[in-house]
Amino acid sequence: MESVIEKLKEHLNHAVIGQPDLTNELLVALIANGHVLLEGPPGIAKTTAAKALANAIDSRFQRIQFTPDLLPGDVTGSDIYQQETGQFSFVPGPIMNDIVLADEINRAPAKVQSALLEAMGERQVTVGNHSYSLPNLFFVIATQNPIEQEGTYPLPEAQLDRFMMKIHLGYPSAESELEVLRMVRQQDLHKTLTHATQALCTPADILALQQKALSLYMSESVEHYIVQLVMATRHPEHYLGEAVNGGSLIEFGASPRGTLALDRCARANALLQGRDFVTPDDVRQVALPVLRHRIITSFEAQASGLSEDELLNRLISHVPAL
């Protein structure tokens, strides 16, 4: 299993240059058996990272380009009347695959975004009076541009909570961008010689990694640390004090789903580091992508220019690991 992890790391770091945090967090979400939301400006390899991961696994992959005129049935599938038989039959939609890339998910209205809720939460889709199970390896990689850009729709809080991790992407360094420039130029020069990437592992390998991560040893002190971090997002005044007018800096804290996600991601991170036990450092390393989309900052925090990450970093620095 360690060889599978190393192969996936090497493949992703080669495909996505200068984004080591992205590649690590993508693998954490995959091994933690959750879904991931990538947010950043256009052109910084969000789609490239998703495709590179899908190519490395011998699985069924489908990309869905979200647009304002997309319908829920375009995602989940629909019942189609068959004239030959006089009956309706279910035609599966693109969501019925192992790995699904929901590209620019925030360009579709809320009705279409909500079509993913059942699929991501229950791993099934319901069309008409029938429910259809999704594959065992069902992994959604969604990308979105920053909300303030024109023509986008904010994701509902209920759907955001279905994502195990929300990964923020920034621009690469000058050195990394130079390396990207040279690599793409070489690829363009030798297009006729390139071949499809050979899969490095199978869905069964990923499912085995997911089970192994769940079996890692976690002490009671680490469990309590996870719970206390989540509790701190609900009662930040115990650690950060109160806002100027006596209110809280965080209006809504993380849900119990956040606690479960923090546990799973910490385990996956420990496995990626080659350990068979979980430490508080594993929890801290995944805390931001796991919790940043599960809290809602107050007006006072926004007026003070405090972002979700800044508030979470303050909480992490104040909550002791027992």
Side-chain angles (χ1 to χ4, degrees), residues 6 17 20 32 37 39 54 78 91 96 101 116 132 136 144 146 157 164 177 185 187 197 207 217 229 251 282:
E6 292 306 317
I17 296 172
L37 176 63
E39 182 181 273
S78 57
V91 177
M96 308 288 288
L101 170 59
L116 291 175
Y132 304 91
N136 290 330
Q144 71 171 15
E157 285 77 10
M164 184 165 283
E177 195 149 347
R185 181 193 299 143
Q187 289 175 346
T197 302
L207 295 175
Y217 174 74
L229 271 181
E251 191 172 350
D282 292 313

Side-chain angles (χ1 to χ4, degrees), residues 288 308-318:
L288 287 183
E308 290 87 351
D309 284 11
E310 289 173 318
L311 290 174
L312 287 171
N313 277 324
R314 291 188 184 185
L315 288 176
I316 293 170
S317 65
H318 283 79

Side-chain angles (χ1 to χ4, degrees), residues 133-154:
S133 297
L134 294 168
N136 290 330
L137 177 64
F138 175 61
F139 184 47
V140 174
I141 305 173
T143 71
Q144 71 171 15
N145 297 324
I147 296 299
E148 64 269 18
Q149 291 198 2
E150 184 179 356
T152 60
Y153 303 81

